[in-house]
Amino acid sequence: IGRSFIDFLHPKDRNTFASQITSGLAIPKFVNGTQDKAPLAGNPGSKMVCRIRRYRGLSSGFSVKDRVVTFMPFLLKFTFKNINDDNGEVIYLVIQASPFFSAFKVQNEVVTKALPFVIRHDANGNLEYIDPESVPYLGYLPQDLTDKDALQLYHPDDLGYLQQVYETIVKKGSSQRSKAFRMITQNGDYIKVETEWSSFINPWSRKLEFVIGKHHIIEGPSNPNVFQSPDPDKGLKLNEEQKNNVNVLRENIIRIMNEVLTKPAEVAKQQMSKRCHDLTSFMESLLEVQPKDELHLEIQDADHSYYEHDSVMLGG
């Protein structure tokens, strides 16, 4: 009591926490002194994942100073409350913290009812979004992965198969549920996932803007505690030739995503052309409607070329 809450947060999460609070405080909705029942709908300040320091207990004979500081991941939900005290009305931040635990109990656990999670990355592989639902399965916090290379999550031995998958995504705009491939967890082990893929094509540039993978977990990692620190001695050891091959495959996937597209780009272009045509027809039909008599008297001497000009501009 009396300590700053930020003191208990992992140093890496303090800036994220502060920015979320700021964005949440900027547009809170209050009803009868408490926040509206839909807490900041669509506002990222209402929920985040962060690590909170564990208490170093006094139960054993060792001094508290000798203990390693450990952190636990939590999902924080924020609400703001107006509370009247001696100084008048004050806004308080109320935090509900729910701990995350690894979703896996035994090594290589076969998963039957895992929640799927979504990862979105751009055409250069930069990770733009990852579901908070992924935390107990992968062990990463969303802010740890944002702007990182999504292709680094894939097992090097699966990149050959995934290159074929990305070729399908680029040609068709999406891909049905893939065969199982491996994705690295925070502790350095791998889970197996099957993935449904979709993409967004920019209809003007006709380029792929981003890829969305909906990942279904089918098998857990060999170390079931995904939050454990990775063991540097157990990591994947690649020789120079293998490293070069892996880099070539990753570069190939990025090159595939950045090529001018075929079928999905044409479809997107046709859809956009149809929308533009429909809008033009609608606007022209509005402009062709004869004005009422009382208006007609006021504008009968106006230069009607303006109407034609406007119609051409809207059509363009």
Side-chain angles (χ1 to χ4, degrees):
I1 302 294
R3 298 272 303 272
S4 167
F5 182 68
I6 288 184
D7 288 347
F8 297 94
L9 297 183
H10 193 287
K12 286 183 179 177
D13 297 334
R14 289 175 185 175
N15 284 344
T16 310
F17 176 81
S19 64
Q20 297 281 49
I21 296 301
T22 308
S23 60
L25 193 57
I27 49 166
K29 293 193 287 185
F30 295 103
V31 177
N32 299 328
T34 58
Q35 198 178 36
D36 194 358
K37 287 200 176 157
L40 305 177
N43 175 18
S46 60
K47 188 188 291 186
M48 72 166 285
V49 182
C50 76
R51 288 156 286 210
I52 300 177
R53 196 173 79 208
R54 294 187 78 150
Y55 175 60
R56 293 186 286 184
L58 300 168
S59 56
S60 68
F62 298 103
S63 83
V64 171
K65 293 283 184 191
D66 295 336
R67 302 233 178 146
V68 177
V69 177
T70 56
F71 292 85
M72 269 187 74
F74 283 82
L75 177 67
L76 304 187
K77 293 180 181 177
F78 306 135
T79 48
F80 294 90
K81 284 191 177 180
N82 279 341
I83 295 177
N84 289 304
D85 62 11
D86 298 338
N87 301 318
E89 194 170 73
V90 179
I91 293 178
Y92 279 82
L93 169 65
V94 180
I95 302 173
Q96 178 189 353
S98 308
F100 277 111
F101 299 101
S102 179
F104 308 108
K105 301 289 185 288
V106 295
Q107 65 177 25
N108 303 116
E109 183 176 332
V110 176
V111 180
T112 52
K113 289 188 178 179
L115 281 172
F117 61 89
V118 169
I119 293 179
R120 184 179 76 226
H121 66 76
D122 67 14
N124 293 316
N126 295 324
L127 198 146
E128 295 180 332
Y129 172 80
I130 181 167
D131 270 341
E133 284 82 357
S134 69
V135 174
Y137 299 104
L138 290 177
Y140 301 107
L141 273 58
Q143 59 264 35
D144 293 340
L145 291 181
T146 305
D147 296 328
K148 299 290 192 298
D149 183 359
L151 304 185
Q152 298 279 349
L153 293 172
Y154 307 147
H155 193 289
D157 292 346
D158 294 334
L159 287 171
Y161 165 65
L162 287 167
Q163 181 177 323
Q164 298 171 13
V165 171
Y166 276 92
E167 284 172 350
T168 303
I169 297 166
V170 166
K171 285 176 184 169
K172 297 186 177 178
S174 62
S175 178
Q176 293 179 339
R177 191 152 164 165
S178 67
K179 292 192 299 188
F181 66 93
R182 288 160 289 183
M183 188 177 281
I184 195 166
T185 58
Q186 191 275 150
N187 67 12
D189 285 327
Y190 289 85
I191 58 171
K192 284 185 182 175
V193 297
E194 293 176 353
T195 301
E196 299 164 57
W197 305 89
S198 58
S199 64
F200 173 73
I201 314 297
N202 184 321
W204 283 275
S205 67
R206 299 168 68 184
K207 292 285 183 75
L208 182 141
E209 291 275 332
F210 53 79
V211 171
I212 298 169
K214 186 177 183 182
H215 304 285
H216 301 263
I217 301 141
I218 59 169
E219 186 179 298
S222 54
N223 176 1
N225 183 4
V226 293
F227 297 116
Q228 194 170 314
S229 298
D231 185 344
D233 297 329
K234 286 187 178 178
L236 211 58
K237 300 289 192 290
L238 301 175
N239 60 36
E240 283 305 310
E241 185 182 351
Q242 289 170 319
K243 285 178 184 173
N244 290 336
N245 289 340
V246 166
N247 287 334
V248 166
L249 286 167
R250 286 183 182 136
E251 287 165 8
N252 285 348
I253 291 172
I254 288 171
R255 180 180 51 77
I256 288 164
M257 287 192 285
N258 283 281
E259 284 179 348
V260 176
L261 303 170
T262 50
K263 184 181 172 186
E266 287 303 320
V267 170
K269 186 185 175 191
Q270 287 166 11
Q271 288 173 341
M272 193 52 62
S273 297
K274 183 178 184 302
R275 283 183 205 151
C276 289
H277 181 266
D278 291 347
L279 179 64
T280 306
S281 302
F282 173 67
M283 296 306 291
E284 284 179 344
S285 70
L286 287 181
L287 292 164
E288 284 166 5
V289 173
Q290 289 295 320
K292 294 180 180 177
D293 287 345
E294 62 268 22
L295 290 174
H296 190 65
L297 294 171
E298 295 171 24
I299 60 169
Q300 60 186 351
D301 296 325
D303 182 359
H304 291 292
S305 66
Y306 282 123
Y307 301 137
E308 292 169 16
H309 172 71
D310 287 348
S311 181
V312 171
M313 287 293 285
L314 284 161

